Amino acid sequence: MTLEIIPDIASLRARLAQEKNIAFVPTMGNLHAGHLHLIALARQYADCVVASIFVNPLQFGANEDLDNYPRTLAADCEKLETAGANIVFTPTVSEMYPTAQTMRITPPPIANELCGAARPGHFDGVATVVMKLFNIVQPQVAIFGKKDFQQLFIIRELVRQFNLPIQIIAGETQREESGLALSSRNGYLSASQKLEAQRLYRTLKLIADNVQQGNRDYRAIETQSSQYLTQLGWMVDYISIRSALTLMPANAEDRNLVALAAARQGKTRLIDNIEFSVA
Ligand code: PAF
């Protein structure tokens, strides 16, 4: 199967008019096995799998890595073809934003917590571009990775609150054998930082074990874990134990939990999370 590469909205719409059942995987490129897992998942839901590759300026803060974000289109297309995608939409910035995007999606207040606290406006940018991509591709199913747990939560709210006829499917986080979650940003890590980076998921697992063994003092666990990583040279943005259903800080009644973390190794910001339940 040959991958069709379509950079403009009019051609994409014309091509997709023949399709009844579309599964969509939006990405920012620099694809790794985590993305390819989402493509494989998409294949289970539709005959036509559409991916997009667009590094969305709207979701990057002024001092973030927009200009340096890795752009690896040729390699990405090869990987998409092998993974079984039919079409990749590869718009330029001016194709997506021919004029200033002054109409924006305002996500719910949860978007200002966790990753949103360190990245003001980030989820407005994500929700706005995802809404545009949904309107362009008009998929029946869209797939998002669980590594970006807060993003997945906000996209589910977008679909629910705007009554979009799209089923959102969550793909499991893909990990190296060490437990390190696959991420485009791992490419920025030095060898020693990469070794240390394994500790992020190990710490989240320790938190889950600790809670499952009966410790319900969530705020103390968060502080201790954060201090532990800080002592080891991490710059911790947050470690937070939350309800997996509402993303509110977990309380003793919550049964389905998620522990989320964002922390930096040098300049590289890594995020990860673990879902678990308590009896
Ligand atoms: O998760 C990402 O790669 C991006 O946030 C997304 C969903 C493609 C929107 O730009």
Side-chain angles (χ1 to χ4, degrees):
M1 192 164 46
T2 317
L3 178 75
E4 294 170 57
I5 304 171
I6 305 184
D8 69 286
I9 297 169
S11 309
L12 185 72
R13 280 195 201 279
R15 169 63 184 82
L16 292 180
Q18 330 160 11
E19 300 291 342
K20 287 205 169 53
N21 208 353
I22 298 168
F24 178 45
V25 184
T27 82
M28 298 205 301
N30 196 229
L31 303 181
H32 51 66
H35 298 105
L36 304 181
H37 172 72
L38 303 183
I39 300 287
L41 201 55
R43 279 249 63 92
Q44 297 175 19
Y45 286 88
D47 305 328
C48 179
V49 172
V50 178
S52 62
I53 296 178
F54 179 60
V55 182
N56 172 35
L58 235 52
Q59 71 189 71
F60 285 79
N63 45 15
E64 292 184 355
D65 53 355
L66 173 65
D67 292 339
N68 298 327
Y69 200 85
R71 285 151 172 95
T72 52
L73 187 62
D76 290 346
C77 289
E78 272 181 38
K79 290 177 189 167
L80 286 173
E81 183 164 292
T82 309
N86 301 92
I87 297 170
V88 61
F89 176 47
T90 56
T92 58
V93 172
S94 58
E95 182 71 7
M96 285 299 281
Y97 302 118
T99 58
Q101 185 72 30
T102 48
M103 291 284 291
R104 302 275 181 108
I105 300 287
T106 307
I110 190 70
N112 302 320
E113 298 183 27
L114 301 169
C115 283
R119 307 185 70 187
H122 170 67
F123 288 112
D124 305 30
V126 170
T128 301
V129 81
V130 168
M131 182 65 130
K132 284 172 72 91
L133 290 167
F134 281 173
N135 287 331
I136 293 165
V137 176
Q138 299 190 17
Q140 280 67 45
V141 174
I143 324 271
F144 291 83
K146 283 191 184 179
K147 187 170 85 68
D148 295 295
F149 198 89
Q150 188 180 12
Q151 169 172 284
L152 174 64
F153 183 87
I154 290 166
I155 301 298
R156 285 194 193 283
E157 282 302 295
L158 175 80
V159 164
R160 191 179 67 79
Q161 295 195 26
F162 285 105
N163 308 88
L164 304 180
I166 302 175
Q167 184 187 1
I168 301 297
I169 302 292
E172 292 302 327
T173 302
Q174 302 298 298
R175 301 184 178 281
E176 293 191 354
E177 234 170 276
S178 67
L180 175 65
L182 298 190
S183 164
S184 301
R185 293 201 164 102
N186 292 351
Y188 299 145
L189 298 169
S190 69
S192 62
Q193 286 173 334
K194 194 158 176 205
L195 205 61
E196 180 58 29
Q198 305 172 7
R199 203 185 304 274
L200 194 61
Y201 185 59
R202 287 218 300 273
T203 305
L204 290 171
K205 268 178 55 181
L206 287 174
I207 293 174
D209 289 348
N210 196 343
V211 173
Q212 285 179 321
Q213 280 158 19
N215 188 345
R216 295 285 181 275
D217 197 349
Y218 298 146
R219 303 297 91 81
I221 300 175
E222 290 164 354
T223 310
Q224 284 155 12
S225 311
S226 172
Q227 281 169 352
Y228 168 68
L229 288 181
T230 305
Q231 276 162 16
L232 289 161
W234 291 78
M235 292 272 293
V236 179
D237 274 359
Y238 63 81
I239 295 191
S240 191
I241 305 170
R242 301 225 163 194
S243 156
L245 305 179
T246 64
L247 264 198
M248 288 291 125
N251 60 46
E253 281 78 56
D254 292 316
R255 293 287 158 265
N256 298 306
L257 303 179
V258 56
L260 309 104
R264 288 166 215 262
Q265 274 293 307
K267 286 201 172 91
T268 308
R269 185 171 183 278
L270 300 176
I271 64 171
D272 205 348
N273 64 79
I274 186 169
E275 285 174 275
F276 57 100
S277 53
V278 288

